[in-house]
Amino acid sequence: MQLLNIILGKYGAFDETDVRWLATAGADFDAVVGRADSEYVPLRNVMDDLSSDPGSCPGRG
């Protein structure tokens, strides 16, 4: 059971209290989205800026 699927109601009336949680494991899928005319093409440019000054690139997540 995934917590997201519970929240979305994919298991009907069951919720997080109806299962015994043994462990959690997950996959975190991310995307990098930017404008076509961005200075960050290729993606390597983003990684270089993040490496040299981590605060220079705001992000969400």
Side-chain angles (χ1 to χ4, degrees):
M1 274 192 161
Q2 293 177 321
L3 190 55
L4 176 61
N5 287 333
I6 293 171
I7 294 167
L8 294 174
K10 292 191 177 189
Y11 299 110
F14 297 106
D15 64 19
E16 71 279 359
T17 62
D18 295 312
V19 297
R20 178 173 292 176
W21 296 97
L22 300 177
T24 60
D28 189 7
F29 300 98
D30 295 312
V32 176
V33 180
R35 294 169 39 145
D37 62 348
S38 173
E39 65 185 278
Y40 293 113
V41 176
L43 184 58
R44 178 86 240 141
N45 293 353
V46 175
M47 301 311 294
D48 291 342
D49 275 2
L50 282 172
S51 296
S52 64
D53 182 11
S56 68
C57 296
R60 293 203 150 139

